[in-house]
Amino acid sequence: MAARVVTVAFQGVEARRVEVEVQFTSGEPKFILVGLGDKAVTESRERVRAAFAGLGLALPSRRIIANLAPADLPKEGSHYDLPIALAVMAGMGVIPPDALADWAAMGELSLDGRIVQVAGALPAAVAAGALGLGLICPEASGAEAAWAGDTRILAAPSLIALVNHFRGTQLLSPPTPGPMLEGERVPDLREVKGQENAKRALEIAAAGGHNLLFVGPPGSGKSMMAARLPGLLPPLTAEELLETSMIHSVAGLIARGQLTRARPFRSPHHSASMAALTGGGLKAKPGEVSLAHNGVLFLDELPEFGTQALDSLRQPLETGEVVVARANAHVRYPARVQLVAAMNPCRCGHGGAGRGACGRAPRCQMDYQGRISGPLMDRIDLQVEVPPVTPADLALPAPPEGTAEAAARVGRARALQVARAASDASGAAALNAQADGDFLDKIADLDAPARALLARAAETGGLTARGWTRTLRLARTIADLEGSDSVRRVHVAEALIYRRVAPAASLSGSLLAAR
């Protein structure tokens, strides 16, 4: 009769049930592991053998067959060590076979029998709870797994500790969840002098979850303002916290079980590959756009990113998820992010006017900004020119309003959006940046002057269908910041201002003059 232990296989953030079956048969003494495992899984045999030796146990002189079922589901990672070892122990009678019936297990074994921390403890605990099972995990993963709520967690430092627990000689205490962190201190918006237009755009972006692009010369404060965006955003809700933490758990980014309600802020270097941005690699790990789920993805020096890498963001920005296609599976990761990007007007930095002006303007600007595809640019709601900071700006006293005041307005605007979405029977997305269809038409019902202005802009400004929709969303957010029930002409006018920067346009005005 085979001994069985439940474990999980990860497909994205989904943890699927896997049964480890171990049976001793007659024949040449050999340890055989089957079930479509990768290299790390097949190496489990030697880690289990060495861990048993460290405990003074010897494998039976029989043929041992360990099957990971279902056999057609790919298995990756070292967390299968512990369930394989427990199933073998149950087959040998070291652990009572029925003691493992109500548990799933995961963990890597060291050669001396210690149980080593592995990634994915939180989604594994959630999946175990959904199956009506508890989870046996490494002691170092216990604080993380304990966040799964009512799921029973057994966090063991070693194999011998588990043996003693199940034999009743030394019971293990259940772990407690790790601390909830508030996040790092975010610099205050009051420290930014001048740039009132850019700060207004930052507040609008925070209020509605809109994508934002800053375009300006070096030293104008683009990255400085982007770094202050997290301070304007409200903390994660309980649902968002679970979603985000499960992604970070699979990526191995949760240390000592510490979760944080601060929204993620990811800022990858412009040398990042397509797999690094959207996910992939040998084990289809989540990319930066998924690690920023429910938060902000900041891309500095936007045109310096690879064209293929940037275009790979188009689908996640539209659908809110990433699909990593493999020959034998499609792995899905959530990727609902707010994109914030910054760029210089040209490769030289300053564009075609002012101090340090480019001598190749406007051609240099057209070539440089042309690296960003039109469809990607069309997904950015606010495109803002950031002029150079002058000595007069620096001499100004600190502005009267900072992050706290702006965050309060953002919080009120977001509360209006959440209330509208909750009252709608269609299950619409909460933030204006994701509103669409009939729901968008209902919440952004323009008065006659506003509709006439938007229609004229579409005719004369080449506004695409996506641009029309995103202008409506932006106007609705501007109205929410003012506490206005209706979207008026002034709101549409301001929304259209933020769509005037185009990849081939000269921010300094030299290109317009050349035309």
Side-chain angles (χ1 to χ4, degrees), residues 121-138:
L122 179 56
V126 172
L131 295 171
L133 303 173
L135 178 69
I136 304 171
C137 67

Side-chain angles (χ1 to χ4, degrees), residues 12 58 60 100 193 221 242 378 436 453 493:
L100 300 172
K193 295 186 177 181
L242 180 61
D378 208 28
D436 57 10
L453 176 62

Side-chain angles (χ1 to χ4, degrees), residues 475-498:
R476 179 66 264 178
T477 299
I478 295 170
D480 287 339
L481 280 171
E482 290 187 2
S484 173
D485 293 333
S486 61
V487 180
R488 303 192 302 274
R489 188 178 189 277
V490 64
H491 304 138
V492 173
E494 184 175 0
L496 289 170
I497 290 174
Y498 297 120

Side-chain angles (χ1 to χ4, degrees), residues 25-293:
T25 64
S26 59
E28 177 188 1
K30 197 172 185 180
F31 196 162
I32 301 172
L33 186 59
V34 297
L36 203 58
D38 69 351
K39 183 69 172 176
V41 176
T42 57
E43 289 173 347
S44 291
R45 295 173 300 183
E46 304 309 317
R47 289 191 292 272
V48 170
R49 192 189 307 274
F52 275 34
L55 299 180
L57 294 175
L59 292 176
S61 298
R62 303 177 66 186
R63 181 181 290 262
I64 304 172
I65 301 176
N67 177 45
L68 308 181
D72 61 345
L73 177 66
K75 323 294 190 309
E76 298 178 339
S78 60
H79 67 275
Y80 294 96
D81 291 4
L82 182 58
I84 292 172
L86 291 176
V88 172
M89 284 182 166
M92 294 170 59
V94 176
I95 293 177
D98 59 346
L100 300 172
D102 295 329
W103 295 94
M106 66 176 303
E108 179 183 334
L109 292 179
S110 66
L111 300 186
D112 60 359
R114 288 179 295 111
I115 305 176
V116 182
Q117 183 176 10
V118 291
L122 179 56
V126 172
L131 295 171
L133 303 173
L135 178 69
I136 304 171
C137 67
E139 184 179 49
S141 301
E144 176 186 332
W147 282 107
D150 295 333
T151 304
R152 293 172 297 133
I153 305 297
L154 187 58
S158 63
L159 274 179
I160 191 64
L162 278 177
V163 172
N164 292 336
H165 176 85
F166 284 116
R167 286 185 169 182
T169 59
Q170 188 176 359
L171 297 180
L172 295 170
S173 301
T176 57
M180 179 67 72
L181 303 179
E182 295 300 325
E184 298 180 359
R185 178 189 174 276
V186 177
D188 199 294
L189 198 60
R190 187 176 278 107
E191 299 167 0
V192 181
K193 295 186 177 181
Q195 306 297 13
E196 297 304 322
N197 188 46
K199 287 192 284 188
R200 166 68 172 173
L202 192 69
E203 184 175 328
I204 294 171
H210 301 282
N211 300 328
L212 170 66
L213 171 66
F214 288 131
V215 185
S220 56
K222 304 184 297 295
S223 301
M224 185 180 184
M225 284 183 287
R228 283 151 177 78
L229 177 59
L232 303 181
L233 301 176
L236 294 168
T237 64
E239 182 181 356
E240 291 172 334
L241 176 64
L242 180 61
E243 290 177 353
T244 304
S245 299
M246 288 178 70
I247 298 172
H248 290 182
S249 176
V250 170
L253 298 181
I254 297 180
R256 298 183 296 280
Q258 297 174 339
L259 303 188
T260 175
R261 289 194 179 275
R263 293 186 179 271
F265 184 86
R266 305 289 298 186
S267 180
H269 191 263
H270 57 72
S271 61
S273 65
M274 182 175 72
L277 280 182
T278 57
L282 184 62
K283 295 184 179 180
K285 290 293 186 180
E288 292 289 339
V289 70
S290 294
L291 296 176
H293 179 60

